[in-house]
Amino acid sequence: MKRLCTLLLVLVCGLSACKKNKGGCAAQVCTDEFASVGIVFTNSDGSAVAISDIEVINLRTNKPVQRPPMPPNVDYVAGFVLLANDNTKAEYSSAGDDIRVSAKSNKTGQVKSVTLKIAGGCNCHVSKVSGPDNVAFD
């Protein structure tokens, strides 16, 4: 009986030590770099343009994307929109999500929209899978 109790105690302790990976991500070795994804809105001649009414929607979830704040040590460039970085990669699937980005030119009032694919999830870093780097207003 003592052996049975000892065996059950060891078995219970051993099973309770096992934890499921709640994140669902496999173990991997990642670099120490910090990645980010952004897009630049410009005038038709390629010069910087002031924009407003920026809207970023994840088309997989049909919900607005919480954009990361611009880091204080980065010089702001007019027309640049930071879409994602490694701090927000959990908002995106590992295979990538289509993201619709819209912005309005303060000068002309024109609105431009573009679709990009951004991957995150279980990947080491957030990345742009497809889509333009620049969007020009007419």
Side-chain angles (χ1 to χ4, degrees):
M1 185 68 164
K2 186 175 181 182
R3 285 186 184 177
L4 181 61
C5 288
T6 304
L7 179 62
L8 285 174
L9 181 62
V10 169
L11 187 61
V12 167
C13 290
L15 289 176
S16 66
C18 295
K19 294 181 181 178
K20 291 186 178 183
N21 184 354
K22 293 185 180 191
C25 298
Q28 56 186 326
V29 177
C30 298
T31 62
D32 220 9
E33 68 185 358
F34 188 79
S36 59
V37 175
I39 191 166
V40 178
F41 288 86
T42 64
N43 285 322
S44 57
D45 64 1
S47 62
V49 63
I51 56 174
S52 60
D53 298 339
I54 301 164
E55 183 179 65
V56 184
I57 303 290
N58 185 327
L59 298 177
R60 176 180 58 89
T61 62
N62 206 28
K63 293 183 179 177
V65 170
Q66 181 66 38
R67 294 184 300 128
M70 286 291 279
N73 60 343
V74 174
D75 290 334
Y76 177 76
V77 176
F80 177 74
V81 179
L82 182 61
L83 299 172
N85 63 25
D86 283 346
N87 290 335
T88 62
K89 71 180 182 119
E91 290 193 37
Y92 306 97
S93 68
S94 298
D97 294 339
D98 288 329
I99 307 300
R100 185 180 66 231
V101 182
S102 302
K104 181 173 86 173
S105 168
N106 288 351
K107 183 178 180 182
T108 65
Q110 181 184 18
V111 175
K112 281 285 195 172
S113 292
V114 65
T115 301
L116 297 96
K117 188 169 202 164
I118 298 177
C122 289
N123 298 322
C124 287
H125 303 286
V126 68
S127 64
K128 183 177 76 167
V129 176
S130 65
D133 293 326
N134 298 316
V135 177
F137 289 102
D138 298 333

